[in-house]
Amino acid sequence: MSEEQNHNVSRRQFLTYTLTGVGGFMAAGIILPMARFAIDPVLQAESAGDMKAVASVDDLTDQPQRFDFSYEQEDAWNTSEVTETAWIYQEGDEIVALSPTCTHLGCTVGWEANQDHPEEFFCPCHGGRFKKDGTNIEGTPPTEPLHKYEVEVQEGTVYVGKAESQV
Amino acid sequence: MLQRVYEWVDERLDITPMWRDIADHEVPEHVNPAHHFSAFVYCFGGLTFFITVIQILSGMFLTMYYVPDIVNAYESVRYLQGDVAYGTIVRGMHHWGASLVIVMIFLHTLRVFFTGAYKRPRELNWVVGVLIFFVMLGLGFTGYLLPWDMKAYFATVVGLQIAESVPLVGTLSKTLLSGDPEIIGAQTLTRFFAIHVFFLPGALLGLLAAHFIMIRRQGISGPL
Ligand code: HEM
Ligand code: FES
């Protein structure tokens, strides 16, 4: 091109720009709805989760006890009853409800599940151990304490919500 | 940047001849709407392919939510349309595209017929085109059952009775399609799903490849 500027757009350039533009617009119009459709699960707002009744306060001791509770779970077009477990004990005024899901790779732990480790939660998969308050014992595979359920007491009944990480 | 990446790859793999062979060829004057506007009739083949691509894409995305099971099929379609973002649009693309692709293939066939493009040496491509048309009808028939609502069910009842009315092999072909001599149910839905999503699209892609390879070999038919 010459020194004095030539602002004229050639026929070829014009066609390249308009065809790329229109083509890109059409391609985006086709791809974007499908992409948004596909990634919808990532963008769904997290449901708050109800509090579920698990146990009567009178039944609690200072030793963790196993309580199972069931609730309706909505999974897209499928509604089903699922059962979860909480290990609950009372210490003074505080009620602690721990999730049985091992923080190593997700197996299920049990209180005093291994005779050699009294007063501890034990995970059978790789020998993970936790103290009564859920703290993971140094030198065993788990890397954080057992998750703790949100707890609420109403008229002598213990309700739990979501299990959340203690760290 | 892109230019440099292209050159780097091209230097090693010599990819230019590959795409040149596919993309770089003259569009004859008599099929170019810029020269004669009436040449737009030559676009219908490309438009048929365009909508087929949309059907395959939207269909792939629908299968992320759809389940081919009589208990859940209807609910899964309702969920993907009503609760998933842009579900109405993606299902709408597939739903309306299914009809539009038939319209386009019909217009394309009319153009080929009235320009006499099916004559020697292109007879084989007419035959392949008719096979593509049958595969499309098959996709429409099998896809229609998938939402598993009343309309889907009774349309399939009728379609299977048509299959049954064929002399000699009627009963056989009906059972083969529905998966049970009497019931139109669980096995019908899974079969139709497999045919709709794997068998016919596979056949369609093979036939389209044959169609396009023949066009490149023989070129577009001459001016009238
Ligand atoms: C030319 C190609 C195709 C045609 C003509 C076609 C046609 C149809 C039709 C008529 C329906 C019923 C739609 C409704 O009632 O709303 C349907 C549903 C469906 N199709 Fe296709 N289809 C094609 C390709 C594909 C491909 C390649 C896939 C997957 C890889 C696919 C997956 C589905 C699914 C999952 C449904 C059920 C969901 C729904 O009903 O909305 N389709 N198809
Ligand atoms: S999963 Fe519990 S120790 Fe590995």
Side-chain angles (χ1 to χ4, degrees):
Chain A
M1 232 168 253
S2 58
E3 276 304 301
E4 58 209 273
Q5 286 183 345
N6 180 1
H7 287 294
N8 291 338
V9 177
S10 73
R11 183 184 165 82
R12 177 169 288 263
Q13 267 176 326
F14 174 77
L15 283 173
T16 309
Y17 293 155
T18 45
L19 289 180
T20 316
V22 172
F25 195 73
M26 280 174 68
I30 292 165
I31 296 301
L32 288 180
M34 297 194 282
R36 179 64 181 81
F37 179 78
I39 64 170
D40 198 49
V42 186
L43 299 176
Q44 290 273 357
E46 214 177 310
S47 64
D50 299 329
M51 301 295 283
K52 302 125 201 160
V54 224
S56 163
V57 178
D58 300 339
D59 294 339
L60 300 185
T61 63
D62 65 349
Q63 285 293 300
Q65 293 177 78
R66 178 184 168 142
F67 292 95
D68 291 345
F69 58 102
S70 302
Y71 59 94
E72 289 224 318
Q73 177 185 271
E74 259 189 56
D75 173 18
W77 55 86
N78 187 46
T79 308
S80 60
E81 176 128 325
V82 294
T83 301
E84 272 189 59
T85 298
W87 287 93
I88 309 181
Y89 63 92
Q90 187 165 25
E91 205 144 61
D93 269 350
E94 203 200 359
I95 293 175
V96 177
L98 292 169
S99 153
T101 306
C102 181
T103 56
H104 178 222
L105 293 172
C107 290
T108 304
V109 305
W111 177 249
E112 300 194 318
N114 187 302
Q115 294 170 342
D116 298 340
H117 303 288
E119 295 282 309
E120 279 177 11
F121 289 101
F122 179 80
C123 176
C125 289
H126 319 95
R129 283 150 54 206
F130 304 84
K131 293 193 194 130
K132 181 172 155 188
D133 66 358
T135 315
N136 51 309
I137 290 172
E138 196 81 23
T140 69
T143 52
E144 61 161 302
L146 291 173
H147 291 188
K148 222 180 201 164
Y149 284 104
E150 228 182 303
V151 175
E152 220 175 82
V153 179
Q154 262 171 35
E155 297 176 13
T157 306
V158 182
Y159 292 81
V160 299
K162 263 205 158 88
E164 269 161 30
S165 172
Q166 298 199 48
V167 290
Chain B
M1 175 62 198
L2 273 178
Q3 188 73 22
R4 302 255 319 271
V5 173
Y6 177 84
E7 271 157 21
W8 191 90
V9 177
D10 194 40
E11 195 187 325
R12 275 142 252 258
L13 295 173
D14 197 21
I15 55 176
T16 301
M18 289 190 228
W19 70 258
R20 284 256 149 128
D21 188 50
I22 295 168
D24 213 13
H25 55 103
E26 291 270 318
V27 176
E29 190 184 312
H30 73 283
V31 306
N32 186 342
H35 286 273
H36 311 284
F37 182 66
S38 61
F40 73 83
V41 293
Y42 285 92
C43 291
F44 292 129
L47 288 172
T48 308
F49 181 62
F50 177 63
I51 296 171
T52 303
V53 170
I54 292 184
Q55 287 307 99
I56 291 175
L57 278 176
S58 57
M60 282 165 55
F61 280 91
L62 285 174
T63 40
M64 279 187 173
Y65 296 94
Y66 176 79
V67 268
D69 167 70
I70 52 172
V71 178
N72 293 301
Y74 178 79
E75 286 302 325
S76 74
V77 172
R78 197 166 73 160
Y79 177 79
L80 74 83
Q81 174 171 344
D83 290 0
V84 181
Y86 286 89
T88 320
I89 307 239
V90 178
R91 185 172 179 217
M93 284 162 87
H94 203 73
H95 179 100
W96 297 106
S99 296
L100 207 55
V101 81
I102 301 289
V103 172
M104 290 302 162
I105 205 172
F106 182 68
L107 292 173
H108 174 61
T109 311
L110 284 183
R111 185 236 101 197
V112 171
F113 183 77
F114 284 111
T115 57
Y118 56 86
K119 291 177 191 169
R120 183 185 151 87
R122 299 191 176 78
E123 303 97 319
L124 277 177
N125 226 359
W126 175 271
V127 171
V128 170
V130 171
L131 291 180
I132 291 175
F133 179 62
F134 287 150
V135 169
M136 294 278 187
L137 290 185
L139 281 162
F141 175 57
T142 51
Y144 206 77
L145 178 68
L146 302 185
W148 200 247
D149 52 15
M150 281 294 156
K151 195 170 63 160
Y153 177 81
F154 283 104
T156 303
V157 168
V158 172
L160 288 174
Q161 262 165 31
I162 296 174
E164 200 175 13
S165 69
V166 173
L168 300 177
V169 293
T171 317
L172 190 78
S173 57
K174 187 208 152 194
T175 308
L176 213 52
L177 277 170
S178 61
D180 188 284
E182 257 119 64
I183 306 166
I184 296 174
Q187 301 192 77
T188 320
L189 186 57
T190 48
R191 272 171 182 256
F192 273 46
F193 180 73
I195 295 170
H196 186 78
V197 165
F198 293 109
F199 292 82
L200 290 181
L204 184 66
L205 290 178
L207 289 168
L208 286 175
H211 206 65
F212 297 152
I213 289 167
M214 279 193 259
I215 295 168
R216 278 320 303 276
R217 265 287 150 81
Q218 305 179 315
I220 212 98
S221 62
L224 293 176

Coordinates of all heavy atoms in Angstrom, one line a residue, chain A residues 79-136:
Chain A
T79 N -37.3 -38.2 42.2 CA -37.4 -38.0 43.6 C -37.3 -39.3 44.4 O -38.0 -40.2 44.0 CB -38.7 -37.3 44.0 OG1 -38.9 -36.2 43.1 CG2 -38.8 -36.8 45.4
S80 N -36.4 -39.4 45.3 CA -36.2 -40.6 46.1 C -36.0 -40.3 47.5 O -35.6 -39.3 47.9 CB -35.1 -41.4 45.5 OG -33.9 -40.7 45.6
E81 N -36.2 -41.4 48.3 CA -35.9 -41.3 49.8 C -34.5 -41.7 50.0 O -34.1 -42.8 49.6 CB -36.9 -42.2 50.5 CG -36.7 -42.2 52.0 CD -38.0 -41.9 52.7 OE1 -38.8 -41.1 52.2 OE2 -38.2 -42.6 53.8
V82 N -33.7 -40.9 50.6 CA -32.3 -41.3 50.9 C -32.1 -41.3 52.4 O -32.8 -40.6 53.1 CB -31.2 -40.4 50.3 CG1 -31.3 -40.5 48.8 CG2 -31.4 -39.0 50.7
T83 N -31.2 -42.2 52.9 CA -31.0 -42.3 54.3 C -29.5 -41.8 54.6 O -28.6 -42.3 53.9 CB -31.2 -43.7 54.8 OG1 -32.5 -44.1 54.5 CG2 -30.9 -43.8 56.2
E84 N -29.4 -41.0 55.6 CA -28.0 -40.6 56.0 C -27.8 -40.9 57.4 O -28.8 -41.2 58.2 CB -27.9 -39.1 55.8 CG -27.4 -38.7 54.4 CD -27.0 -37.2 54.3 OE1 -26.2 -36.8 55.1 OE2 -27.7 -36.5 53.5
T85 N -26.6 -40.8 57.9 CA -26.3 -41.1 59.3 C -25.6 -40.0 59.9 O -24.8 -39.3 59.3 CB -25.4 -42.4 59.3 OG1 -26.1 -43.5 58.7 CG2 -24.9 -42.7 60.7
A86 N -25.8 -39.8 61.2 CA -25.1 -38.8 62.0 C -24.6 -39.5 63.3 O -25.4 -40.3 63.9 CB -25.9 -37.6 62.3
W87 N -23.4 -39.2 63.7 CA -22.9 -39.6 65.0 C -23.1 -38.5 66.0 O -22.4 -37.4 65.8 CB -21.5 -40.1 65.0 CG -21.3 -41.4 64.2 CD1 -21.0 -41.5 62.9 CD2 -21.4 -42.7 64.8 NE1 -20.9 -42.9 62.6 CE2 -21.2 -43.6 63.8 CE3 -21.7 -43.2 66.1 CZ2 -21.2 -45.0 63.9 CZ3 -21.7 -44.6 66.3 CH2 -21.4 -45.5 65.2
I88 N -24.0 -38.6 67.0 CA -24.3 -37.5 67.8 C -24.0 -37.7 69.3 O -24.2 -38.9 69.8 CB -25.8 -37.2 67.7 CG1 -26.2 -37.1 66.2 CG2 -26.2 -35.9 68.4 CD1 -27.7 -36.7 66.0
Y89 N -23.5 -36.7 70.0 CA -23.3 -36.8 71.4 C -23.5 -35.4 72.0 O -23.5 -34.4 71.3 CB -21.9 -37.4 71.8 CG -20.7 -36.5 71.3 CD1 -20.2 -35.6 72.2 CD2 -20.1 -36.7 70.1 CE1 -19.1 -34.8 71.8 CE2 -19.1 -36.0 69.7 CZ -18.5 -35.0 70.5 OH -17.5 -34.2 70.1
Q90 N -23.6 -35.4 73.4 CA -23.9 -34.2 74.1 C -22.7 -34.0 75.1 O -22.4 -34.9 75.8 CB -25.2 -34.2 74.8 CG -25.6 -32.9 75.4 CD -27.0 -32.9 75.8 OE1 -27.6 -33.9 76.1 NE2 -27.6 -31.7 75.9
E91 N -22.2 -32.8 75.1 CA -21.1 -32.5 76.0 C -21.5 -31.2 76.7 O -21.4 -30.1 76.0 CB -19.8 -32.4 75.3 CG -18.6 -32.7 76.2 CD -17.5 -33.4 75.4 OE1 -17.0 -32.8 74.4 OE2 -17.2 -34.6 75.7
G92 N -21.9 -31.3 78.0 CA -22.4 -30.1 78.6 C -23.7 -29.6 77.9 O -24.6 -30.4 77.7
D93 N -23.7 -28.4 77.4 CA -24.8 -27.8 76.7 C -24.7 -28.1 75.2 O -25.7 -27.9 74.5 CB -24.9 -26.3 76.9 CG -25.8 -26.0 78.1 OD1 -26.4 -27.0 78.6 OD2 -25.8 -24.9 78.6
E94 N -23.5 -28.4 74.8 CA -23.3 -28.5 73.3 C -23.6 -29.9 72.8 O -23.3 -30.9 73.3 CB -21.8 -28.2 73.0 CG -21.6 -27.7 71.6 CD -20.2 -27.9 71.1 OE1 -19.3 -28.3 71.9 OE2 -19.9 -27.5 70.0
I95 N -24.4 -29.8 71.6 CA -24.7 -31.1 70.9 C -23.9 -31.1 69.7 O -23.9 -30.2 68.9 CB -26.2 -31.2 70.6 CG1 -27.0 -31.3 71.9 CG2 -26.5 -32.4 69.7 CD1 -28.5 -31.3 71.7
V96 N -23.1 -32.2 69.5 CA -22.2 -32.3 68.3 C -22.7 -33.5 67.5 O -23.0 -34.6 67.9 CB -20.8 -32.6 68.7 CG1 -19.9 -32.8 67.5 CG2 -20.2 -31.5 69.6
A97 N -22.9 -33.2 66.2 CA -23.4 -34.2 65.2 C -22.4 -34.3 64.1 O -22.2 -33.4 63.3 CB -24.8 -33.9 64.6
L98 N -21.7 -35.5 64.0 CA -20.6 -35.6 63.0 C -21.1 -36.5 61.8 O -21.8 -37.5 62.0 CB -19.4 -36.2 63.7 CG -18.7 -35.4 64.7 CD1 -17.6 -36.2 65.5 CD2 -18.0 -34.2 64.0
S99 N -20.6 -36.1 60.7 CA -20.8 -36.9 59.5 C -19.9 -38.2 59.5 O -18.8 -38.1 59.8 CB -20.6 -36.1 58.2 OG -20.2 -36.9 57.1
P100 N -20.4 -39.3 59.0 CA -19.6 -40.6 59.0 C -18.8 -40.7 57.8 O -18.1 -41.7 57.6 CB -20.7 -41.7 59.1 CG -21.8 -41.1 58.3 CD -21.8 -39.6 58.6
T101 N -18.8 -39.7 56.9 CA -18.0 -39.8 55.7 C -16.5 -39.4 55.9 O -16.2 -38.3 56.3 CB -18.6 -38.8 54.6 OG1 -19.9 -39.1 54.5 CG2 -17.9 -39.0 53.3
C102 N -15.6 -40.4 55.7 CA -14.2 -40.2 55.9 C -13.7 -39.1 55.0 O -14.0 -39.0 53.9 CB -13.5 -41.5 55.6 SG -11.7 -41.5 55.9
T103 N -12.8 -38.3 55.6 CA -12.3 -37.1 54.9 C -11.1 -37.5 54.0 O -10.5 -36.7 53.4 CB -11.9 -36.0 55.8 OG1 -11.0 -36.5 56.8 CG2 -13.2 -35.4 56.4
H104 N -10.7 -38.8 54.0 CA -9.7 -39.3 53.1 C -10.3 -39.5 51.7 O -10.2 -38.6 50.9 CB -9.0 -40.6 53.7 CG -8.0 -41.1 52.8 ND1 -7.8 -42.5 52.5 CD2 -7.0 -40.5 52.1 CE1 -6.8 -42.6 51.7 NE2 -6.3 -41.5 51.4
L105 N -11.0 -40.6 51.5 CA -11.6 -40.9 50.2 C -13.1 -41.2 50.3 O -13.6 -41.8 49.4 CB -10.8 -41.9 49.5 CG -9.4 -41.5 49.1 CD1 -8.6 -42.8 48.5 CD2 -9.4 -40.4 48.1
G106 N -13.7 -40.9 51.4 CA -15.2 -41.0 51.4 C -15.8 -42.3 51.9 O -16.9 -42.6 51.7
C107 N -15.0 -43.2 52.5 CA -15.6 -44.4 53.1 C -16.4 -44.0 54.3 O -16.4 -42.9 54.7 CB -14.5 -45.5 53.5 SG -13.8 -46.2 52.0
T108 N -17.0 -45.0 55.0 CA -17.8 -44.7 56.1 C -17.1 -45.1 57.4 O -16.7 -46.2 57.6 CB -19.2 -45.4 56.0 OG1 -19.8 -45.1 54.8 CG2 -20.1 -45.0 57.1
V109 N -17.0 -44.1 58.4 CA -16.4 -44.4 59.6 C -17.4 -44.8 60.7 O -18.6 -44.6 60.5 CB -15.6 -43.2 60.1 CG1 -14.6 -42.6 59.1 CG2 -16.6 -42.1 60.6
G110 N -16.9 -45.5 61.7 CA -17.8 -45.9 62.8 C -17.1 -45.6 64.2 O -15.8 -45.7 64.2
W111 N -17.9 -45.3 65.2 CA -17.3 -45.0 66.5 C -16.9 -46.3 67.1 O -17.6 -47.3 67.2 CB -18.4 -44.3 67.4 CG -17.9 -44.0 68.8 CD1 -18.4 -44.6 69.9 CD2 -16.9 -43.1 69.2 NE1 -17.8 -44.1 71.0 CE2 -16.8 -43.2 70.6 CE3 -16.1 -42.2 68.6 CZ2 -16.0 -42.4 71.4 CZ3 -15.2 -41.4 69.3 CH2 -15.2 -41.5 70.7
E112 N -15.7 -46.4 67.5 CA -15.1 -47.6 68.1 C -15.3 -48.8 67.2 O -15.6 -49.9 67.7 CB -15.7 -47.9 69.5 CG -15.4 -46.7 70.5 CD -15.6 -47.0 71.9 OE1 -16.6 -47.7 72.2 OE2 -14.8 -46.6 72.8
A113 N -15.1 -48.6 66.0 CA -15.3 -49.7 65.0 C -14.2 -50.6 65.0 O -14.2 -51.7 64.4 CB -15.6 -49.1 63.6
N114 N -13.1 -50.3 65.6 CA -11.9 -51.2 65.7 C -11.5 -51.3 67.2 O -11.3 -50.3 67.9 CB -10.8 -50.6 64.9 CG -9.6 -51.5 64.8 OD1 -9.0 -51.9 65.8 ND2 -9.2 -51.9 63.6
Q115 N -11.4 -52.6 67.6 CA -11.2 -52.8 69.1 C -9.8 -52.2 69.5 O -9.7 -51.8 70.7 CB -11.1 -54.3 69.3 CG -12.4 -55.0 69.1 CD -12.3 -56.5 69.1 OE1 -11.2 -57.0 68.9 NE2 -13.4 -57.2 69.3
D116 N -8.9 -52.1 68.6 CA -7.6 -51.6 69.0 C -7.6 -50.1 69.2 O -6.6 -49.6 69.7 CB -6.5 -52.0 67.9 CG -6.4 -53.5 67.8 OD1 -6.8 -54.2 68.7 OD2 -5.9 -53.9 66.7
H117 N -8.6 -49.4 68.8 CA -8.6 -48.0 68.9 C -9.9 -47.5 69.6 O -10.8 -47.0 69.0 CB -8.5 -47.3 67.5 CG -7.3 -47.8 66.8 ND1 -6.0 -47.4 67.2 CD2 -7.1 -48.6 65.7 CE1 -5.1 -47.9 66.4 NE2 -5.8 -48.7 65.5
P118 N -10.0 -47.7 70.9 CA -11.2 -47.3 71.6 C -11.3 -45.8 71.7 O -10.2 -45.1 71.5 CB -11.0 -47.9 73.0 CG -9.5 -48.0 73.2 CD -9.0 -48.3 71.8
E119 N -12.5 -45.3 71.9 CA -12.7 -43.8 72.0 C -12.3 -43.1 70.8 O -11.8 -42.0 70.8 CB -11.9 -43.3 73.2 CG -12.4 -43.8 74.6 CD -13.7 -43.1 75.0 OE1 -13.7 -41.8 75.0 OE2 -14.7 -43.8 75.3
E120 N -12.4 -43.7 69.6 CA -12.0 -43.1 68.4 C -13.0 -43.5 67.3 O -13.6 -44.6 67.3 CB -10.6 -43.5 67.9 CG -9.5 -42.8 68.6 CD -8.1 -43.3 68.2 OE1 -8.1 -44.0 67.2 OE2 -7.2 -42.9 68.8
F121 N -13.1 -42.6 66.2 CA -13.8 -43.1 65.0 C -12.8 -43.8 64.1 O -11.6 -43.3 64.1 CB -14.3 -41.9 64.2 CG -15.5 -41.2 64.9 CD1 -15.3 -40.0 65.6 CD2 -16.8 -41.7 64.7 CE1 -16.4 -39.4 66.2 CE2 -17.9 -41.1 65.3 CZ -17.7 -39.9 66.1
F122 N -13.2 -44.9 63.5 CA -12.2 -45.6 62.7 C -12.8 -45.9 61.3 O -14.0 -46.1 61.1 CB -12.0 -47.0 63.4 CG -11.0 -47.9 62.6 CD1 -9.7 -47.7 62.7 CD2 -11.5 -48.9 61.8 CE1 -8.8 -48.5 62.0 CE2 -10.6 -49.7 61.1 CZ -9.2 -49.5 61.2
C123 N -11.9 -45.7 60.3 CA -12.3 -46.0 58.9 C -11.7 -47.3 58.4 O -10.4 -47.4 58.5 CB -11.9 -44.8 58.0 SG -12.3 -45.1 56.3
P124 N -12.5 -48.2 58.0 CA -11.9 -49.6 57.6 C -11.1 -49.5 56.3 O -10.3 -50.5 56.1 CB -13.2 -50.4 57.5 CG -14.3 -49.5 57.1 CD -13.9 -48.2 57.8
C125 N -11.3 -48.5 55.5 CA -10.7 -48.6 54.2 C -9.1 -48.5 54.2 O -8.5 -49.4 53.7 CB -11.2 -47.5 53.3 SG -12.9 -47.8 52.8
H126 N -8.6 -47.5 54.9 CA -7.2 -47.3 54.9 C -6.7 -47.0 56.3 O -5.7 -46.4 56.6 CB -6.7 -46.3 54.0 CG -7.4 -46.3 52.6 ND1 -8.4 -45.5 52.4 CD2 -7.2 -47.0 51.5 CE1 -8.9 -45.7 51.2 NE2 -8.1 -46.7 50.6
G127 N -7.6 -47.4 57.3 CA -7.2 -47.2 58.7 C -7.2 -45.8 59.2 O -6.4 -45.4 60.1
G128 N -8.0 -44.9 58.6 CA -8.1 -43.5 59.1 C -8.7 -43.5 60.4 O -9.6 -44.3 60.8
R129 N -8.2 -42.6 61.3 CA -8.8 -42.4 62.7 C -9.1 -41.0 63.0 O -8.4 -40.1 62.5 CB -7.8 -43.1 63.7 CG -7.8 -44.6 63.7 CD -6.5 -45.2 64.1 NE -6.0 -44.7 65.3 CZ -4.8 -44.6 65.7 NH1 -3.8 -45.1 64.9 NH2 -4.4 -44.1 66.9
F130 N -10.1 -40.8 63.9 CA -10.5 -39.5 64.3 C -10.8 -39.5 65.8 O -11.3 -40.5 66.3 CB -11.8 -39.0 63.5 CG -11.6 -39.1 62.0 CD1 -11.9 -40.3 61.3 CD2 -11.3 -37.9 61.3 CE1 -11.8 -40.3 60.0 CE2 -11.3 -38.0 59.9 CZ -11.5 -39.1 59.3
K131 N -10.5 -38.4 66.5 CA -10.9 -38.3 67.9 C -12.4 -38.1 68.0 O -13.1 -37.8 67.0 CB -10.1 -37.1 68.5 CG -8.7 -37.3 68.6 CD -8.0 -36.3 69.5 CE -6.5 -36.3 69.3 NZ -6.0 -34.9 69.1
K132 N -12.9 -38.1 69.2 CA -14.3 -37.9 69.5 C -14.9 -36.6 68.9 O -16.0 -36.6 68.3 CB -14.5 -37.9 71.0 CG -16.0 -37.8 71.4 CD -16.2 -38.1 72.9 CE -17.4 -37.4 73.4 NZ -17.5 -37.4 74.9
D133 N -14.1 -35.5 68.9 CA -14.6 -34.3 68.4 C -14.4 -34.2 66.8 O -14.7 -33.2 66.2 CB -14.0 -33.1 69.0 CG -12.5 -33.0 68.7 OD1 -12.0 -33.9 68.0 OD2 -11.8 -32.0 69.2
G134 N -14.0 -35.3 66.3 CA -13.8 -35.4 64.8 C -12.5 -35.1 64.3 O -12.2 -35.3 63.1
T135 N -11.6 -34.6 65.1 CA -10.2 -34.2 64.7 C -9.5 -35.5 64.1 O -9.4 -36.5 64.8 CB -9.4 -33.7 65.8 OG1 -10.2 -32.7 66.5 CG2 -8.1 -33.0 65.3
N136 N -8.9 -35.3 63.0 CA -8.2 -36.5 62.4 C -6.9 -36.7 63.1 O -6.2 -35.7 63.5 CB -7.9 -36.2 60.9 CG -7.3 -34.9 60.6 OD1 -7.8 -33.9 61.1 ND2 -6.2 -34.9 59.9

